[in-house]
Amino acid sequence: MTDLATQLAAACSAAFVAEGLEARWGAVKQSDRPELADFQCNGCMGAAKQAGMNPRELAAKIAPRIAAHDAVDRVDVAGPGFLNITVGAEALAKQAGFIANDPRAGGGAAPDPENVIVDFGGPNVAKPMHVGHIRSAVIGDTLVRLLRFLGDKVTGDVHLGDWGLQMGLLIIAVMDEQPDLIYFDAGQSGPYPSDPPVTMDDLSRLYPMASARSKDNAAYAKRAQDAVAEMQAGRPGYRALLQHFIDVSVTALKVDYGFLDVAFDLWKGESDVDPLIAPMIEALKSDGYATEDDGAWIIDIARDGENVEAVGKDGQPRLKNPMPPFMLVNSRGATGYHATDLATIKDRMETIDPDRILYVVDQRQALHFEQVFRAADKVGYISQDRLEHLGFGTVNGTDGKPFKTREGGTLRLSDLNAMALEEATKRIGEAGLSGDIDAVEKARIGELVARAALRFADLQNQRTTNYVFDLERFTSFEGKTGPYLLYAAVRIKAILRRAAEEGKSAGEIAIDAPEERKLVLALDGFALALRLAREKRMPHYVCEHVYTLAQAFSAFYSACPILKEDVPAATRASRLGLCQAVLHQLEAGLGILGITAPERM
Ligand code: ARG
């Protein structure tokens, strides 16, 4: 069974076809004027225009065909030829019953399930995650959950940054502090100690120090570059250190991601494709894809109309539509971000053979991905239309600039998580919630509220826009927030628990009050929300839906008593059934968003 909107669209399309017109005119959506009807079809105007007919006359022919559908109570023709469709109470009741029992809570399924890799997170070893990393983590994790929910086969890969200059900086920083470590003895080739010589605190202290020093000390920077080159060339002591840095970082990363309930199937990194890089370069050279350019090896990815020589206003030559080449090996003989990403695609094609790879990475890397995708397509690994860069905007402060702490530094994700926890705990106290709950459960509730606040605040924005970081607003129990949604779910749980205690159970659903009708129509919108979210890779559709549903529930709950003494048993059983359907779908939707509601709070 599908959602009512889809059922009605099928009926409308068939009606147009029966009149000798195209099926596409039969698109149906929920009514813009809910006081007039539940659904509407606007196809008559376009279809009539194309066929040279009168739209109202056409609508008058289509209407009875739609009205014949079981679910439909009434079809009115309005204005120039709108079809306003009202569904019957029984159809609504049936739909609610279906949603209550459907494993996907009425969310539907992907019509074309695919094997998808989602590349997200992308933290860099040794660089602590900051507020900007929350976006890739939360959006990527949500897309993984969404696609999986709808039936796609999904592999989430963190793609650690563990191959770049930061590793060289760390190596020399550790060397300067602990020069006697075995890792720096060029005559040694292991075995090396299994305990790491540094802690995460050491790494967090050393990396910014080394990074800053390299900026104004050319000799230091050169040492770091040489160290990376040696590491990449396979110097055993440096490789052993790299592994320690990765292990120490991953342990810390898992804590921060865990707080947000973000998970990865693969913890691979750039360094994992190192063995593939040399043979890949050889093959690309011998196949003629890689060409030499000023001592570097590049892949020419420019297309017609790009890199056109032109003359600027100042009379100087300049390039129109510049598209820099794909840098396979630079003039110093080193490989970098381009090469690791291309080799990673090759690796993924060989090991997972995905239909599609999604990259959830800051919009500012758009050019990089355009280059990588073109190169991968050109050399025949995968066609470009199967590679998607899903960019996102930045997290800003109230000044509209990327968020900074009061001291002007970047806010670490671990500190951000801690702040959210503190704020959430405060809010729970203020709201007078969790009064008689013990300390352990209270702490757990605080975490769930903090997570809901952060995730929902991020996901509710259209992916590509920036948003302003405002913990106070995010953690509020009122408004369009994660905590509000948790509160809604917890309230339904409380109703169902009380009903069970009183020996009252859910029964057959019957739809009577207008708020009940609206509630079922809200439930019916889940499938469309998930479809749009999947098609556009935009989690905010799911956020919109759960929020609408929670509001519809709220209106229903204030208008329709459930457990009061004077409510007839059949009505009560029906309303409890509605509560179950709503809770089931709300938890499914929140689950996709990575938000878990506690049993009580
Ligand atoms: N580590 C990279 C960064 O911090 C992000 C990695 C994104 N994924 C990728 N396949 N390039 O910018």
Side-chain angles (χ1 to χ4, degrees):
M1 201 162 140
T2 60
D3 54 310
L4 286 166
T6 303
Q7 293 175 36
L8 295 174
C12 287
S13 297
F16 278 99
V17 170
E19 294 297 331
L21 298 161
E22 287 171 59
R24 70 183 168 105
W25 301 115
V28 166
K29 58 174 192 165
Q30 287 209 10
S31 176
D32 295 334
R33 311 262 314 263
E35 69 284 6
L36 295 183
D38 302 327
F39 293 93
Q40 65 186 63
C41 169
N42 303 346
C44 289
M45 282 77 80
K49 189 167 175 204
Q50 201 185 52
M53 297 163 89
N54 174 315
R56 272 198 75 99
E57 276 169 24
L58 174 61
K61 287 189 189 152
I62 299 278
R65 293 187 183 274
I66 305 170
H69 189 277
D70 277 351
V72 176
D73 186 39
R74 209 177 67 233
V75 182
D76 305 311
V77 177
F82 292 110
L83 294 165
N84 283 337
I85 307 167
T86 303
V87 292
E90 265 131 66
L92 289 172
K94 200 169 132 200
Q95 201 62 24
F98 156 66
I99 288 165
N101 294 303
D102 179 33
R104 288 194 177 109
D112 52 349
E114 292 185 315
N115 182 7
V116 184
I117 294 178
V118 184
D119 179 316
F120 71 107
N124 297 310
V125 163
K127 294 192 204 168
M129 287 197 285
H130 55 80
V131 50
H133 285 100
I134 200 174
R135 300 225 64 190
S136 178
V138 164
I139 297 168
D141 180 69
T142 300
L143 290 173
V144 168
R145 291 167 186 262
L146 170 74
L147 298 185
R148 213 168 258 161
F149 184 91
L150 292 172
D152 292 298
K153 181 167 180 268
V154 191
T155 309
D157 184 2
V158 72
H159 199 72
L160 288 175
D162 57 3
W163 201 235
L165 183 64
Q166 84 268 24
M167 308 319 309
L169 288 166
L170 271 187
I171 291 171
I172 62 166
V174 174
M175 186 190 297
D176 290 349
E177 274 196 355
Q178 307 182 61
D180 297 332
L181 288 178
I182 181 170
Y183 308 94
F184 303 118
D185 183 342
Q188 292 279 347
S189 61
Y192 295 98
S194 51
D195 284 341
V198 285
T199 62
M200 190 60 213
D201 282 343
D202 292 327
L203 296 185
S204 322
R205 173 175 56 81
L206 290 174
Y207 175 73
M209 183 279 289
S211 170
R213 196 162 159 203
S214 72
K215 301 238 158 69
D216 49 42
N217 183 333
Y220 192 80
K222 173 81 171 56
R223 278 180 68 209
Q225 278 166 9
D226 291 345
V228 190
E230 279 189 79
M231 177 200 84
Q232 293 189 351
R235 181 168 161 171
Y238 288 6
R239 284 298 178 95
L241 263 185
L242 170 70
Q243 198 53 54
H244 283 310
F245 295 158
I246 294 175
D247 294 343
V248 166
S249 293
V250 165
T251 305
L253 289 170
K254 284 187 174 167
V255 174
D256 292 348
Y257 282 135
F259 185 83
L260 295 167
D261 203 9
V262 166
F264 300 90
D265 302 299
L266 296 177
W267 279 85
K268 289 198 164 191
E270 294 166 349
S271 68
D272 284 296
V273 293
D274 168 47
L276 272 70
I277 288 186
M280 174 181 86
I281 292 171
E282 278 325 301
L284 294 177
K285 283 181 184 173
S286 60
D287 294 345
Y289 289 122
T291 49
E292 206 169 354
D293 183 79
D294 258 345
W297 286 88
I298 61 163
I299 299 175
D300 180 10
I301 48 167
R303 296 187 177 151
D304 282 352
E306 289 174 343
N307 293 341
V308 177
E309 311 226 358
V311 180
K313 279 208 192 84
D314 52 5
Q316 294 297 313
R318 64 170 188 99
L319 281 186
K320 226 169 82 186
N321 297 331
M323 174 51 69
F326 179 92
M327 190 63 66
L328 194 58
V329 184
N330 71 18
S331 53
R332 283 184 281 114
T335 54
Y337 199 31
H338 275 163
T340 50
D341 259 329
L342 188 62
T344 302
I345 292 177
K346 187 168 195 290
D347 182 38
R348 287 171 176 165
M349 296 316 291
E350 285 163 6
T351 55
I352 299 177
D353 192 21
D355 297 313
R356 199 171 286 283
I357 309 177
L358 313 182
Y359 294 82
V360 185
V361 186
D362 195 313
Q363 188 56 38
R364 288 171 288 193
Q365 293 196 25
L367 174 64
H368 168 76
F369 285 108
E370 179 65 24
Q371 293 176 297
V372 170
F373 296 173
R374 286 188 184 192
D377 185 312
K378 181 164 181 176
V379 306
Y381 294 165
I382 181 172
S383 76
Q384 186 171 358
D385 59 4
R386 295 179 170 275
L387 299 169
E388 297 176 37
H389 171 217
L390 307 178
F392 48 78
T394 54
V395 182
N396 291 343
T398 35
D399 59 358
K401 301 209 186 95
F403 187 87
K404 294 264 182 270
T405 58
R406 234 168 281 152
E407 293 72 37
T410 48
L411 178 63
R412 287 212 193 157
L413 188 55
S414 51
D415 293 332
L416 171 90
N417 288 342
M419 278 161 61
L421 181 59
E422 194 186 333
E423 190 71 23
T425 310
K426 198 174 100 196
R427 290 306 187 101
I428 295 168
E430 280 169 8
L433 300 168
S434 76
D436 57 348
I437 294 178
D438 70 46
V440 176
E441 194 180 339
K442 238 183 215 170
R444 166 89 185 135
I445 293 170
E447 279 172 28
L448 293 179
V449 172
R451 178 190 300 158
L454 290 177
R455 288 191 67 128
F456 194 83
D458 190 288
L459 295 168
Q460 69 155 297
N461 305 286
Q462 182 163 334
R463 170 166 54 74
T464 45
T465 58
N466 305 337
Y467 71 91
V468 173
F469 188 79
D470 180 353
L471 256 192
E472 206 170 307
R473 191 162 56 80
F474 297 172
T475 52
S476 169
F477 280 94
E478 275 148 42
K480 202 171 175 183
T481 68
Y484 166 75
L485 291 160
L486 288 193
Y487 184 72
V490 167
R491 185 160 68 169
I492 307 174
K493 290 185 187 201
I495 297 167
L496 291 170
R497 201 164 43 233
R498 217 185 105 202
E501 281 160 17
E502 294 175 7
K504 294 162 181 160
S505 49
E508 199 180 328
I509 296 173
I511 299 304
D512 185 22
E515 290 80 7
E516 292 177 325
R517 185 166 255 286
K518 280 200 185 143
L519 183 57
V520 180
L521 289 171
L523 286 165
D524 197 57
F526 192 40
L528 176 64
L530 297 193
R531 193 156 63 235
L532 286 172
R534 179 177 181 271
E535 272 168 18
K536 300 183 193 294
R537 322 297 193 197
M538 295 272 192
H540 75 275
Y541 288 107
V542 185
C543 296
E544 286 297 326
H545 177 75
V546 290
Y547 182 63
T548 306
L549 181 63
Q551 283 186 309
F553 181 81
S554 212
F556 155 78
Y557 187 57
S558 27
C560 304
I562 302 174
L563 294 174
K564 282 215 185 95
E565 274 316 309
D566 55 352
V567 178
T571 305
R572 170 179 306 127
S574 164
R575 289 178 180 168
L576 286 172
L578 275 175
C579 287
Q580 280 179 344
V582 172
L583 181 62
H584 181 44
Q585 191 182 82
L586 191 55
E587 289 201 295
L590 290 175
I592 290 171
L593 300 174
I595 294 173
T596 310
E599 282 315 299
R600 50 188 194 148
M601 63 184 186

